[in-house]
Short mmCIF file of all heavy atoms in Angstrom, two decimals:
data_model
loop_
_atom_site.label_atom_id
_atom_site.label_comp_id
_atom_site.label_asym_id
_atom_site.label_seq_id
_atom_site.Cartn_x
_atom_site.Cartn_y
_atom_site.Cartn_z
N MET A 1 -6.30 -12.31 18.04
CA MET A 1 -6.92 -11.07 17.64
C MET A 1 -6.59 -10.77 16.16
O MET A 1 -5.39 -10.81 15.79
CB MET A 1 -6.51 -9.94 18.58
CG MET A 1 -7.18 -8.65 18.20
SD MET A 1 -6.82 -7.34 19.41
CE MET A 1 -5.47 -6.51 18.56
N HIS A 2 -7.51 -10.41 15.38
CA HIS A 2 -7.33 -10.10 14.00
C HIS A 2 -6.79 -8.68 13.87
O HIS A 2 -7.30 -7.76 14.43
CB HIS A 2 -8.64 -10.20 13.22
CG HIS A 2 -8.51 -9.70 11.80
ND1 HIS A 2 -7.76 -10.34 10.84
CD2 HIS A 2 -9.08 -8.64 11.24
CE1 HIS A 2 -7.90 -9.69 9.71
NE2 HIS A 2 -8.65 -8.65 9.94
N THR A 3 -5.73 -8.53 13.08
CA THR A 3 -5.16 -7.17 12.85
C THR A 3 -5.61 -6.76 11.47
O THR A 3 -5.20 -7.33 10.43
CB THR A 3 -3.58 -7.23 12.88
OG1 THR A 3 -3.19 -7.69 14.14
CG2 THR A 3 -3.03 -5.85 12.62
N PRO A 4 -6.49 -5.78 11.40
CA PRO A 4 -6.96 -5.31 10.07
C PRO A 4 -5.80 -4.72 9.28
O PRO A 4 -4.94 -4.00 9.83
CB PRO A 4 -7.99 -4.27 10.37
CG PRO A 4 -7.76 -3.80 11.76
CD PRO A 4 -7.08 -4.97 12.44
N HIS A 5 -5.73 -5.09 8.04
CA HIS A 5 -4.68 -4.51 7.11
C HIS A 5 -3.29 -4.88 7.65
O HIS A 5 -2.49 -3.99 7.88
CB HIS A 5 -4.85 -3.03 6.91
CG HIS A 5 -6.23 -2.59 6.64
ND1 HIS A 5 -6.90 -3.03 5.55
CD2 HIS A 5 -7.01 -1.73 7.28
CE1 HIS A 5 -8.16 -2.48 5.58
NE2 HIS A 5 -8.21 -1.67 6.63
N GLY A 6 -3.02 -6.10 7.85
CA GLY A 6 -1.72 -6.56 8.35
C GLY A 6 -0.66 -6.49 7.27
O GLY A 6 -0.96 -6.18 6.11
N PRO A 7 0.58 -6.77 7.61
CA PRO A 7 1.70 -6.73 6.66
C PRO A 7 1.39 -7.56 5.40
O PRO A 7 0.91 -8.69 5.54
CB PRO A 7 2.89 -7.22 7.45
CG PRO A 7 2.56 -6.94 8.87
CD PRO A 7 1.06 -7.13 8.93
N GLY A 8 1.65 -6.99 4.26
CA GLY A 8 1.38 -7.63 3.00
C GLY A 8 0.03 -7.40 2.38
O GLY A 8 -0.21 -7.73 1.23
N ALA A 9 -0.87 -6.73 3.16
CA ALA A 9 -2.22 -6.51 2.64
C ALA A 9 -2.14 -5.35 1.63
O ALA A 9 -1.41 -4.40 1.77
CB ALA A 9 -3.16 -6.09 3.79
N PHE A 10 -3.02 -5.48 0.62
CA PHE A 10 -3.13 -4.44 -0.41
C PHE A 10 -4.27 -3.55 0.01
O PHE A 10 -5.35 -4.03 0.31
CB PHE A 10 -3.38 -5.05 -1.79
CG PHE A 10 -2.21 -5.83 -2.27
CD1 PHE A 10 -2.18 -7.22 -2.19
CD2 PHE A 10 -1.12 -5.16 -2.82
CE1 PHE A 10 -1.07 -7.92 -2.63
CE2 PHE A 10 0.00 -5.86 -3.24
CZ PHE A 10 0.03 -7.25 -3.17
N VAL A 11 -4.04 -2.22 0.09
CA VAL A 11 -4.96 -1.26 0.64
C VAL A 11 -5.09 -0.04 -0.23
O VAL A 11 -4.24 0.20 -1.12
CB VAL A 11 -4.56 -0.86 2.08
CG1 VAL A 11 -4.62 -2.05 2.98
CG2 VAL A 11 -3.21 -0.21 2.10
N ALA A 12 -6.03 0.80 0.10
CA ALA A 12 -6.20 2.13 -0.50
C ALA A 12 -6.72 3.02 0.59
O ALA A 12 -7.31 2.55 1.59
CB ALA A 12 -7.16 2.08 -1.67
N HIS A 13 -6.52 4.33 0.48
CA HIS A 13 -6.99 5.27 1.47
C HIS A 13 -8.48 5.50 1.32
O HIS A 13 -8.99 5.52 0.18
CB HIS A 13 -6.29 6.62 1.25
CG HIS A 13 -6.37 7.53 2.47
ND1 HIS A 13 -7.43 8.32 2.64
CD2 HIS A 13 -5.56 7.71 3.49
CE1 HIS A 13 -7.31 9.00 3.76
NE2 HIS A 13 -6.14 8.63 4.30
N THR A 14 -9.22 5.61 2.44
CA THR A 14 -10.64 5.76 2.30
C THR A 14 -11.08 7.15 1.86
O THR A 14 -12.18 7.26 1.30
CB THR A 14 -11.31 5.52 3.70
OG1 THR A 14 -10.78 6.40 4.67
CG2 THR A 14 -11.12 4.08 4.13
N GLY A 15 -10.23 8.15 2.07
CA GLY A 15 -10.66 9.50 1.77
C GLY A 15 -10.13 10.11 0.49
O GLY A 15 -10.65 11.15 0.03
N THR A 16 -9.07 9.56 -0.07
CA THR A 16 -8.48 10.17 -1.25
C THR A 16 -7.81 9.13 -2.14
O THR A 16 -7.41 8.06 -1.62
CB THR A 16 -7.47 11.25 -0.85
OG1 THR A 16 -6.93 11.82 -2.07
CG2 THR A 16 -6.30 10.69 -0.02
N ASP A 17 -7.70 9.39 -3.41
CA ASP A 17 -6.97 8.47 -4.24
C ASP A 17 -5.63 9.10 -4.65
O ASP A 17 -4.92 8.55 -5.50
CB ASP A 17 -7.75 8.08 -5.45
CG ASP A 17 -8.11 9.28 -6.38
OD1 ASP A 17 -7.73 10.40 -5.99
OD2 ASP A 17 -8.69 9.08 -7.43
N VAL A 18 -5.26 10.19 -4.03
CA VAL A 18 -3.99 10.89 -4.30
C VAL A 18 -2.82 9.95 -4.06
O VAL A 18 -1.81 10.02 -4.78
CB VAL A 18 -3.85 12.19 -3.51
CG1 VAL A 18 -2.51 12.85 -3.62
CG2 VAL A 18 -4.92 13.19 -3.87
N TYR A 19 -2.90 9.13 -3.06
CA TYR A 19 -1.75 8.25 -2.70
C TYR A 19 -1.56 7.09 -3.65
O TYR A 19 -0.51 6.51 -3.79
CB TYR A 19 -1.98 7.64 -1.30
CG TYR A 19 -2.10 8.64 -0.20
CD1 TYR A 19 -3.10 8.49 0.74
CD2 TYR A 19 -1.18 9.65 -0.02
CE1 TYR A 19 -3.28 9.39 1.80
CE2 TYR A 19 -1.32 10.57 1.00
CZ TYR A 19 -2.36 10.41 1.95
OH TYR A 19 -2.44 11.29 2.97
N GLY A 20 -2.63 6.74 -4.40
CA GLY A 20 -2.60 5.54 -5.20
C GLY A 20 -2.83 4.35 -4.28
O GLY A 20 -2.88 4.48 -3.07
N PRO A 21 -2.96 3.14 -4.81
CA PRO A 21 -3.07 2.00 -3.97
C PRO A 21 -1.77 1.65 -3.29
O PRO A 21 -0.71 2.21 -3.68
CB PRO A 21 -3.48 0.91 -4.93
CG PRO A 21 -2.92 1.28 -6.25
CD PRO A 21 -2.96 2.81 -6.22
N GLY A 22 -1.75 0.79 -2.27
CA GLY A 22 -0.50 0.51 -1.59
C GLY A 22 -0.51 -0.91 -1.01
O GLY A 22 -1.47 -1.68 -1.06
N LYS A 23 0.63 -1.18 -0.38
CA LYS A 23 0.84 -2.49 0.29
C LYS A 23 1.38 -2.18 1.70
O LYS A 23 2.33 -1.42 1.88
CB LYS A 23 1.90 -3.33 -0.49
CG LYS A 23 2.17 -4.66 0.10
CD LYS A 23 3.09 -5.43 -0.77
CE LYS A 23 3.35 -6.85 -0.23
NZ LYS A 23 4.29 -7.57 -1.05
N VAL A 24 0.79 -2.81 2.68
CA VAL A 24 1.14 -2.55 4.05
C VAL A 24 2.47 -3.21 4.33
O VAL A 24 2.72 -4.38 4.01
CB VAL A 24 0.11 -3.16 5.04
CG1 VAL A 24 0.55 -2.98 6.50
CG2 VAL A 24 -1.25 -2.46 4.82
N LEU A 25 3.44 -2.40 4.85
CA LEU A 25 4.77 -2.86 5.18
C LEU A 25 4.90 -3.31 6.62
O LEU A 25 5.64 -4.26 6.91
CB LEU A 25 5.80 -1.78 4.87
CG LEU A 25 5.85 -1.21 3.47
CD1 LEU A 25 6.83 -0.05 3.37
CD2 LEU A 25 6.24 -2.31 2.50
N ALA A 26 4.24 -2.58 7.52
CA ALA A 26 4.39 -2.84 8.97
C ALA A 26 3.17 -2.30 9.70
O ALA A 26 2.42 -1.47 9.23
CB ALA A 26 5.65 -2.17 9.48
N VAL A 27 2.99 -2.89 10.92
CA VAL A 27 1.92 -2.45 11.83
C VAL A 27 2.50 -1.95 13.05
O VAL A 27 3.46 -2.51 13.65
CB VAL A 27 1.04 -3.72 12.13
CG1 VAL A 27 0.04 -3.41 13.18
CG2 VAL A 27 0.34 -4.27 10.90
N ASP A 28 1.98 -0.83 13.52
CA ASP A 28 2.40 -0.19 14.81
C ASP A 28 1.14 0.30 15.50
O ASP A 28 0.75 1.43 15.30
CB ASP A 28 3.42 0.97 14.59
CG ASP A 28 3.92 1.57 15.84
OD1 ASP A 28 3.78 0.93 16.92
OD2 ASP A 28 4.43 2.65 15.81
N GLY A 29 0.54 -0.58 16.30
CA GLY A 29 -0.63 -0.21 16.96
C GLY A 29 -1.79 0.08 16.00
O GLY A 29 -2.14 -0.73 15.18
N ALA A 30 -2.29 1.31 16.08
CA ALA A 30 -3.43 1.73 15.23
C ALA A 30 -2.95 2.23 13.84
O ALA A 30 -3.78 2.60 13.05
CB ALA A 30 -4.21 2.79 15.94
N HIS A 31 -1.63 2.26 13.68
CA HIS A 31 -1.08 2.80 12.44
C HIS A 31 -0.50 1.71 11.53
O HIS A 31 -0.08 0.70 11.99
CB HIS A 31 0.00 3.87 12.74
CG HIS A 31 -0.54 5.07 13.39
ND1 HIS A 31 -0.66 5.14 14.77
CD2 HIS A 31 -0.98 6.22 12.90
CE1 HIS A 31 -1.19 6.31 15.10
NE2 HIS A 31 -1.42 6.97 13.96
N ARG A 32 -0.48 2.04 10.25
CA ARG A 32 0.07 1.07 9.27
C ARG A 32 1.11 1.86 8.39
O ARG A 32 0.80 2.99 7.99
CB ARG A 32 -1.00 0.53 8.28
CG ARG A 32 -2.14 -0.22 8.98
CD ARG A 32 -1.68 -1.39 9.79
NE ARG A 32 -2.69 -2.13 10.47
CZ ARG A 32 -2.98 -1.92 11.74
NH1 ARG A 32 -2.35 -1.05 12.49
NH2 ARG A 32 -3.98 -2.64 12.30
N ARG A 33 2.25 1.30 8.20
CA ARG A 33 3.29 1.87 7.32
C ARG A 33 2.97 1.28 5.93
O ARG A 33 2.97 0.03 5.73
CB ARG A 33 4.68 1.42 7.83
CG ARG A 33 5.75 2.15 7.11
CD ARG A 33 5.89 3.58 7.58
NE ARG A 33 7.05 4.21 6.96
CZ ARG A 33 7.16 5.51 6.79
NH1 ARG A 33 6.21 6.31 7.19
NH2 ARG A 33 8.22 6.01 6.25
N VAL A 34 2.67 2.12 4.92
CA VAL A 34 2.19 1.68 3.66
C VAL A 34 3.07 2.19 2.56
O VAL A 34 3.42 3.37 2.54
CB VAL A 34 0.73 2.12 3.43
CG1 VAL A 34 0.22 1.67 2.07
CG2 VAL A 34 -0.17 1.66 4.54
N ARG A 35 3.50 1.34 1.66
CA ARG A 35 4.21 1.69 0.43
C ARG A 35 3.15 1.93 -0.62
O ARG A 35 2.54 1.03 -1.18
CB ARG A 35 5.13 0.52 -0.03
CG ARG A 35 5.65 0.63 -1.45
CD ARG A 35 6.79 1.60 -1.51
NE ARG A 35 6.27 2.86 -2.12
CZ ARG A 35 7.01 3.87 -2.48
NH1 ARG A 35 8.35 3.84 -2.31
NH2 ARG A 35 6.49 4.92 -2.99
N PHE A 36 2.77 3.22 -0.79
CA PHE A 36 1.87 3.61 -1.85
C PHE A 36 2.62 3.72 -3.13
O PHE A 36 3.88 3.76 -3.10
CB PHE A 36 1.18 4.93 -1.46
CG PHE A 36 0.17 4.87 -0.39
CD1 PHE A 36 0.51 5.31 0.85
CD2 PHE A 36 -1.06 4.30 -0.57
CE1 PHE A 36 -0.38 5.24 1.90
CE2 PHE A 36 -1.98 4.19 0.45
CZ PHE A 36 -1.62 4.67 1.73
N THR A 37 1.96 3.88 -4.27
CA THR A 37 2.67 4.06 -5.55
C THR A 37 3.36 5.39 -5.59
O THR A 37 4.32 5.54 -6.37
CB THR A 37 1.71 3.90 -6.76
OG1 THR A 37 0.64 4.79 -6.64
CG2 THR A 37 1.22 2.46 -6.86
N ARG A 38 2.95 6.38 -4.85
CA ARG A 38 3.52 7.71 -4.90
C ARG A 38 4.58 7.97 -3.83
O ARG A 38 5.49 8.67 -4.04
CB ARG A 38 2.45 8.78 -4.76
CG ARG A 38 1.24 8.69 -5.64
CD ARG A 38 1.57 8.81 -7.10
NE ARG A 38 0.31 8.93 -7.89
CZ ARG A 38 -0.35 7.93 -8.43
NH1 ARG A 38 0.03 6.69 -8.22
NH2 ARG A 38 -1.38 8.17 -9.21
N PHE A 39 4.46 7.27 -2.66
CA PHE A 39 5.42 7.41 -1.58
C PHE A 39 5.06 6.46 -0.48
O PHE A 39 4.10 5.75 -0.55
CB PHE A 39 5.42 8.86 -1.04
CG PHE A 39 4.07 9.38 -0.67
CD1 PHE A 39 3.49 9.21 0.61
CD2 PHE A 39 3.29 10.10 -1.59
CE1 PHE A 39 2.30 9.67 0.93
CE2 PHE A 39 2.09 10.62 -1.21
CZ PHE A 39 1.53 10.37 0.03
N VAL A 40 5.82 6.47 0.62
CA VAL A 40 5.61 5.66 1.82
C VAL A 40 5.03 6.60 2.88
O VAL A 40 5.52 7.70 3.06
CB VAL A 40 6.89 4.98 2.33
CG1 VAL A 40 6.65 4.25 3.64
CG2 VAL A 40 7.44 4.04 1.31
N ALA A 41 3.97 6.10 3.58
CA ALA A 41 3.37 6.93 4.65
C ALA A 41 2.86 6.06 5.77
O ALA A 41 2.67 4.85 5.56
CB ALA A 41 2.16 7.69 4.03
N THR A 42 2.73 6.67 6.94
CA THR A 42 2.11 6.04 8.06
C THR A 42 0.69 6.54 8.18
O THR A 42 0.50 7.72 8.29
CB THR A 42 2.94 6.33 9.37
OG1 THR A 42 4.27 5.90 9.17
CG2 THR A 42 2.29 5.71 10.56
N ILE A 43 -0.22 5.61 8.11
CA ILE A 43 -1.65 5.96 8.07
C ILE A 43 -2.40 5.20 9.16
O ILE A 43 -2.10 4.02 9.41
CB ILE A 43 -2.30 5.58 6.69
CG1 ILE A 43 -1.48 6.16 5.55
CG2 ILE A 43 -3.73 5.93 6.60
CD1 ILE A 43 -1.64 7.64 5.33
N ARG A 44 -3.42 5.81 9.75
CA ARG A 44 -4.27 5.10 10.71
C ARG A 44 -4.99 4.00 9.99
O ARG A 44 -5.50 4.17 8.87
CB ARG A 44 -5.27 6.05 11.39
CG ARG A 44 -4.57 7.01 12.34
CD ARG A 44 -5.57 7.85 13.15
NE ARG A 44 -6.54 7.06 13.85
CZ ARG A 44 -6.31 6.51 15.07
NH1 ARG A 44 -5.19 6.67 15.68
NH2 ARG A 44 -7.27 5.81 15.64
N ALA A 45 -5.05 2.83 10.58
CA ALA A 45 -5.74 1.66 9.97
C ALA A 45 -7.18 1.97 9.61
O ALA A 45 -7.69 1.54 8.59
CB ALA A 45 -5.66 0.46 10.91
N GLU A 46 -7.86 2.80 10.43
CA GLU A 46 -9.27 3.13 10.17
C GLU A 46 -9.38 3.99 8.91
O GLU A 46 -10.49 4.13 8.37
CB GLU A 46 -9.90 3.81 11.36
CG GLU A 46 -9.29 5.16 11.67
CD GLU A 46 -9.74 5.74 13.02
OE1 GLU A 46 -10.06 4.98 13.92
OE2 GLU A 46 -9.82 6.97 13.13
N ASP A 47 -8.33 4.60 8.40
CA ASP A 47 -8.39 5.39 7.21
C ASP A 47 -7.99 4.57 5.97
O ASP A 47 -7.84 5.16 4.87
CB ASP A 47 -7.39 6.54 7.33
CG ASP A 47 -7.88 7.56 8.39
OD1 ASP A 47 -9.08 7.65 8.60
OD2 ASP A 47 -7.02 8.24 8.99
N LEU A 48 -7.88 3.26 6.13
CA LEU A 48 -7.55 2.41 4.98
C LEU A 48 -8.76 1.42 4.72
O LEU A 48 -9.49 1.10 5.65
CB LEU A 48 -6.31 1.59 5.30
CG LEU A 48 -5.02 2.34 5.50
CD1 LEU A 48 -3.93 1.45 6.00
CD2 LEU A 48 -4.63 3.00 4.19
N ARG A 49 -8.80 0.98 3.49
CA ARG A 49 -9.81 -0.02 3.12
C ARG A 49 -9.07 -1.04 2.23
O ARG A 49 -8.02 -0.73 1.67
CB ARG A 49 -10.93 0.60 2.36
CG ARG A 49 -10.50 1.29 1.02
CD ARG A 49 -11.68 1.72 0.19
NE ARG A 49 -11.26 2.49 -0.94
CZ ARG A 49 -10.67 2.03 -2.02
NH1 ARG A 49 -10.48 0.68 -2.20
NH2 ARG A 49 -10.32 2.82 -3.06
N PRO A 50 -9.57 -2.24 2.13
CA PRO A 50 -8.97 -3.19 1.21
C PRO A 50 -8.95 -2.66 -0.21
O PRO A 50 -9.97 -2.05 -0.65
CB PRO A 50 -9.91 -4.46 1.36
CG PRO A 50 -10.56 -4.31 2.64
CD PRO A 50 -10.78 -2.79 2.81
N ALA A 51 -7.92 -2.93 -0.95
CA ALA A 51 -7.85 -2.48 -2.36
C ALA A 51 -8.78 -3.31 -3.20
O ALA A 51 -9.05 -4.49 -2.97
CB ALA A 51 -6.43 -2.69 -2.87
N SER A 52 -9.38 -2.63 -4.19
CA SER A 52 -10.22 -3.29 -5.11
C SER A 52 -9.35 -4.18 -6.02
O SER A 52 -8.11 -4.00 -6.01
CB SER A 52 -10.94 -2.29 -6.02
OG SER A 52 -10.00 -1.67 -6.89
N PRO A 53 -9.90 -5.14 -6.78
CA PRO A 53 -9.08 -6.00 -7.64
C PRO A 53 -8.21 -5.18 -8.59
O PRO A 53 -7.03 -5.49 -8.83
CB PRO A 53 -10.10 -6.85 -8.36
CG PRO A 53 -11.26 -7.00 -7.36
CD PRO A 53 -11.32 -5.62 -6.74
N SER A 54 -8.74 -4.12 -9.18
CA SER A 54 -7.94 -3.32 -10.12
C SER A 54 -6.88 -2.55 -9.41
O SER A 54 -5.76 -2.38 -9.97
CB SER A 54 -8.85 -2.39 -10.95
OG SER A 54 -9.49 -1.43 -10.11
N GLU A 55 -7.18 -2.06 -8.18
CA GLU A 55 -6.13 -1.37 -7.41
C GLU A 55 -4.99 -2.36 -7.03
O GLU A 55 -3.84 -2.01 -7.06
CB GLU A 55 -6.71 -0.75 -6.17
CG GLU A 55 -7.59 0.44 -6.47
CD GLU A 55 -8.41 0.92 -5.26
OE1 GLU A 55 -8.77 0.07 -4.41
OE2 GLU A 55 -8.64 2.11 -5.18
N LYS A 56 -5.43 -3.56 -6.64
CA LYS A 56 -4.45 -4.58 -6.29
C LYS A 56 -3.52 -4.91 -7.49
O LYS A 56 -2.26 -4.95 -7.33
CB LYS A 56 -5.16 -5.87 -5.83
CG LYS A 56 -4.23 -6.90 -5.35
CD LYS A 56 -4.96 -8.14 -4.77
CE LYS A 56 -4.01 -9.20 -4.38
NZ LYS A 56 -4.70 -10.39 -3.81
N ARG A 57 -4.09 -5.08 -8.65
CA ARG A 57 -3.28 -5.26 -9.85
C ARG A 57 -2.34 -4.14 -10.14
O ARG A 57 -1.17 -4.29 -10.51
CB ARG A 57 -4.14 -5.53 -11.03
CG ARG A 57 -4.65 -6.95 -11.19
CD ARG A 57 -5.30 -7.24 -12.53
NE ARG A 57 -6.40 -6.28 -12.86
CZ ARG A 57 -7.65 -6.40 -12.40
NH1 ARG A 57 -7.99 -7.41 -11.61
NH2 ARG A 57 -8.54 -5.51 -12.76
N GLU A 58 -2.81 -2.94 -9.91
CA GLU A 58 -2.01 -1.72 -10.15
C GLU A 58 -0.81 -1.69 -9.28
O GLU A 58 0.31 -1.45 -9.79
CB GLU A 58 -2.85 -0.44 -9.91
CG GLU A 58 -2.11 0.87 -10.19
CD GLU A 58 -2.92 2.08 -9.88
OE1 GLU A 58 -4.14 2.01 -9.81
OE2 GLU A 58 -2.29 3.17 -9.69
N ILE A 59 -0.98 -1.92 -7.98
CA ILE A 59 0.18 -1.92 -7.07
C ILE A 59 1.10 -3.11 -7.34
O ILE A 59 2.37 -2.96 -7.33
CB ILE A 59 -0.21 -1.84 -5.55
CG1 ILE A 59 1.01 -1.63 -4.66
CG2 ILE A 59 -0.97 -3.06 -5.11
CD1 ILE A 59 1.70 -0.34 -4.81
N GLN A 60 0.54 -4.27 -7.67
CA GLN A 60 1.39 -5.42 -7.99
C GLN A 60 2.20 -5.15 -9.23
O GLN A 60 3.41 -5.45 -9.27
CB GLN A 60 0.53 -6.65 -8.22
CG GLN A 60 -0.02 -7.21 -6.91
CD GLN A 60 -1.03 -8.33 -7.12
OE1 GLN A 60 -1.79 -8.34 -8.09
NE2 GLN A 60 -0.99 -9.28 -6.19
N ASP A 61 1.64 -4.55 -10.29
CA ASP A 61 2.36 -4.17 -11.50
C ASP A 61 3.44 -3.17 -11.18
O ASP A 61 4.57 -3.22 -11.68
CB ASP A 61 1.44 -3.66 -12.58
CG ASP A 61 0.47 -4.70 -13.14
OD1 ASP A 61 0.74 -5.94 -12.90
OD2 ASP A 61 -0.49 -4.34 -13.80
N TRP A 62 3.08 -2.19 -10.36
CA TRP A 62 4.02 -1.11 -10.00
C TRP A 62 5.22 -1.71 -9.26
O TRP A 62 6.38 -1.39 -9.55
CB TRP A 62 3.33 -0.08 -9.13
CG TRP A 62 4.16 1.07 -8.84
CD1 TRP A 62 4.29 2.27 -9.57
CD2 TRP A 62 4.98 1.29 -7.66
NE1 TRP A 62 5.17 3.11 -8.92
CE2 TRP A 62 5.59 2.55 -7.79
CE3 TRP A 62 5.30 0.48 -6.57
CZ2 TRP A 62 6.46 3.02 -6.80
CZ3 TRP A 62 6.14 0.97 -5.64
CH2 TRP A 62 6.69 2.24 -5.77
N LEU A 63 4.95 -2.59 -8.29
CA LEU A 63 6.00 -3.21 -7.50
C LEU A 63 6.90 -4.12 -8.42
O LEU A 63 8.09 -4.10 -8.26
CB LEU A 63 5.39 -4.06 -6.39
CG LEU A 63 4.79 -3.30 -5.25
CD1 LEU A 63 3.93 -4.22 -4.35
CD2 LEU A 63 5.80 -2.53 -4.44
N ARG A 64 6.29 -4.85 -9.33
CA ARG A 64 7.03 -5.70 -10.22
C ARG A 64 8.01 -4.85 -11.08
O ARG A 64 9.15 -5.19 -11.29
CB ARG A 64 6.10 -6.47 -11.11
CG ARG A 64 6.75 -7.55 -11.96
CD ARG A 64 5.80 -8.34 -12.80
NE ARG A 64 4.69 -8.94 -11.97
CZ ARG A 64 3.44 -8.49 -11.96
NH1 ARG A 64 3.04 -7.50 -12.78
NH2 ARG A 64 2.50 -9.06 -11.21
N ALA A 65 7.50 -3.74 -11.62
CA ALA A 65 8.29 -2.86 -12.42
C ALA A 65 9.45 -2.27 -11.67
O ALA A 65 10.63 -2.17 -12.18
CB ALA A 65 7.46 -1.72 -12.99
N LYS A 66 9.26 -1.90 -10.44
CA LYS A 66 10.31 -1.34 -9.55
C LYS A 66 11.37 -2.43 -9.26
O LYS A 66 12.58 -2.18 -9.26
CB LYS A 66 9.77 -0.80 -8.24
CG LYS A 66 8.96 0.38 -8.41
CD LYS A 66 9.74 1.52 -9.01
CE LYS A 66 8.90 2.76 -9.22
NZ LYS A 66 9.57 3.83 -9.88
N ARG A 67 10.96 -3.67 -9.01
CA ARG A 67 11.93 -4.75 -8.75
C ARG A 67 12.74 -5.02 -10.06
O ARG A 67 13.96 -5.18 -9.93
CB ARG A 67 11.19 -6.02 -8.35
CG ARG A 67 10.85 -6.05 -6.88
CD ARG A 67 10.35 -7.42 -6.45
NE ARG A 67 9.22 -7.90 -7.13
CZ ARG A 67 7.94 -7.64 -6.76
NH1 ARG A 67 7.71 -6.91 -5.70
NH2 ARG A 67 6.92 -8.07 -7.47
N GLN A 68 12.08 -5.04 -11.17
CA GLN A 68 12.80 -5.25 -12.45
C GLN A 68 13.80 -4.11 -12.73
O GLN A 68 14.92 -4.38 -13.19
CB GLN A 68 11.88 -5.41 -13.60
CG GLN A 68 11.09 -6.72 -13.59
CD GLN A 68 9.99 -6.76 -14.63
OE1 GLN A 68 9.63 -5.78 -15.24
NE2 GLN A 68 9.46 -7.98 -14.84
N ARG A 69 13.40 -2.93 -12.48
CA ARG A 69 14.25 -1.78 -12.76
C ARG A 69 15.36 -1.59 -11.73
O ARG A 69 16.52 -1.33 -12.14
CB ARG A 69 13.42 -0.49 -12.79
CG ARG A 69 14.23 0.72 -13.09
CD ARG A 69 13.36 1.94 -13.15
NE ARG A 69 13.33 2.34 -14.56
CZ ARG A 69 12.56 3.25 -15.05
NH1 ARG A 69 11.74 3.88 -14.23
NH2 ARG A 69 12.60 3.55 -16.30
N TYR A 70 15.11 -1.72 -10.46
CA TYR A 70 16.02 -1.43 -9.39
C TYR A 70 16.51 -2.64 -8.56
O TYR A 70 17.39 -2.50 -7.74
CB TYR A 70 15.46 -0.37 -8.44
CG TYR A 70 15.04 0.88 -9.17
CD1 TYR A 70 13.73 1.23 -9.31
CD2 TYR A 70 15.99 1.75 -9.72
CE1 TYR A 70 13.34 2.44 -9.98
CE2 TYR A 70 15.64 2.93 -10.39
CZ TYR A 70 14.30 3.24 -10.46
OH TYR A 70 13.96 4.39 -11.13
N GLY A 71 15.82 -3.72 -8.69
CA GLY A 71 16.12 -4.89 -7.83
C GLY A 71 15.57 -4.69 -6.44
O GLY A 71 14.90 -3.69 -6.19
N GLY A 72 15.87 -5.60 -5.56
CA GLY A 72 15.49 -5.41 -4.17
C GLY A 72 14.02 -5.80 -3.92
O GLY A 72 13.33 -6.24 -4.77
N ASP A 73 13.58 -5.53 -2.72
CA ASP A 73 12.25 -5.89 -2.25
C ASP A 73 11.52 -4.57 -1.99
O ASP A 73 11.72 -3.87 -1.03
CB ASP A 73 12.35 -6.73 -0.95
CG ASP A 73 10.98 -7.16 -0.47
OD1 ASP A 73 10.02 -7.18 -1.31
OD2 ASP A 73 10.87 -7.50 0.70
N TRP A 74 10.60 -4.27 -2.86
CA TRP A 74 9.82 -3.05 -2.75
C TRP A 74 8.59 -3.31 -1.95
O TRP A 74 7.72 -2.61 -1.71
CB TRP A 74 9.43 -2.50 -4.15
CG TRP A 74 10.63 -1.85 -4.75
CD1 TRP A 74 11.69 -2.46 -5.41
CD2 TRP A 74 10.92 -0.47 -4.84
NE1 TRP A 74 12.54 -1.57 -5.83
CE2 TRP A 74 12.14 -0.31 -5.47
CE3 TRP A 74 10.26 0.66 -4.38
CZ2 TRP A 74 12.69 0.90 -5.74
CZ3 TRP A 74 10.83 1.88 -4.61
CH2 TRP A 74 12.07 1.97 -5.29
#
């Protein structure tokens, strides 16, 4: 069975851009734990969409900057 927006997927919220783009950290049934550029949140999978290429670059650049500044796995 295909899990939409599985761990590691780059996503964005379907209803708002307030969160910024994000990366799925974990799956829990119908919910996804997502590291957005503004914060981490648990969002229903149906409220997420695949990130556009520019959104994907934005989150990748953001994650790279955080790793360089603080180390660790963001």
Side-chain angles (χ1 to χ4, degrees):
M1 182 173 97
H2 172 68
T3 301
H5 314 302
F10 293 100
V11 296
H13 196 277
T14 58
T16 182
D17 62 357
V18 173
Y19 301 133
K23 182 176 180 181
V24 176
L25 302 175
V27 173
D28 183 16
H31 293 88
R32 304 298 179 263
R33 189 75 174 155
V34 181
R35 166 77 258 187
F36 290 103
T37 55
R38 310 295 191 271
F39 52 87
V40 175
T42 300
I43 306 287
R44 289 187 55 84
E46 66 190 31
D47 293 332
L48 297 171
R49 62 173 173 74
S52 70
S54 64
E55 290 169 328
K56 184 177 178 179
R57 277 190 306 278
E58 181 182 342
I59 188 66
Q60 287 172 325
D61 292 346
W62 185 89
L63 290 167
R64 188 178 308 106
K66 292 298 179 185
R67 278 191 300 272
Q68 289 172 346
R69 178 178 253 173
Y70 302 110
D73 184 21
W74 284 79

